[in-house]
Amino acid sequence: MNADGPPSAVTDRWQELLEDADAIAAEYRDDGWETLVVHPGDVTPVTGDPFGLDVLAPGDEFEALEALVESATFDTSQVYRAEEGGVRFFIVATEATAEEIAVVVPAFLPAREETELAEQATEEGVMYTHVRPLSDETRVTFSHDDPGLFF
């Protein structure tokens, strides 16, 4: 995110995006899945190594996420997206289908920051979502085999 803060479309729509993420998580729970929703404090597109969406998670949610990834193999992603006001909004649902566990992460990508990330993800044939705590000492990375879900 740039130093000016998130685009106004993000501040205008962020609460609605969180509610949508909670609704998607509730659908998983209704189907018997264990589900964690990450409530980002910040989302930053990153290029280079690593690249993808860098998501800052609250400490307690990150600890819960670390416990989930130790016991599950995440193999599928669903990406729900919408565009508004020059911003692409996402709800990324990463699934461990065998264990019936889902992690739901709302995120966004301003159009002005999309080009380089889209080019790198398309060239690599993969997109990443990195979830980290404020300490930035460790992270959980989800890979998404179809960058087209994002761009």
Side-chain angles (χ1 to χ4, degrees):
M1 195 176 324
N2 70 26
D4 298 330
S8 62
V10 173
T11 54
D12 293 346
R13 193 164 186 287
W14 189 248
Q15 187 58 42
E16 182 181 335
L17 189 69
L18 293 175
E19 291 168 5
D20 291 345
D22 288 336
I24 289 169
E27 290 176 18
Y28 279 106
R29 286 186 197 104
D30 289 347
D31 289 340
W33 288 52
E34 181 178 356
T35 307
L36 173 69
V37 178
V38 174
H39 296 87
D42 196 10
V43 178
T44 305
V46 291
T47 54
D49 186 22
F51 69 92
L53 295 174
D54 182 77
V55 178
L56 176 62
D60 59 333
E61 290 179 5
F62 185 78
E63 289 172 10
L65 177 60
E66 281 187 311
L68 285 178
V69 298
E70 286 180 14
S71 64
T73 302
F74 289 84
D75 56 357
T76 304
S77 299
Q78 307 294 327
V79 179
Y80 306 88
R81 72 178 194 202
E83 294 182 40
E84 183 178 317
V87 177
R88 185 164 291 155
F89 295 93
F90 306 101
I91 298 175
V92 181
T94 306
E95 305 169 344
T97 53
E99 297 88 353
E100 294 189 337
I101 298 173
V103 175
V104 179
V105 181
F108 64 90
L109 178 63
R112 68 179 182 265
E113 299 178 30
E114 177 181 337
T115 303
E116 188 176 349
L117 181 57
E119 288 173 1
Q120 186 170 5
T122 302
E123 183 178 303
E124 298 284 337
V126 65
M127 177 66 174
Y128 296 101
T129 303
H130 309 282
V131 182
R132 66 175 178 85
L134 185 58
S135 66
D136 200 19
E137 296 170 358
T138 185
R139 66 189 63 232
V140 170
T141 298
F142 295 107
S143 63
H144 315 286
D145 293 334
D146 183 1
L149 296 172
F150 292 84
F151 306 106

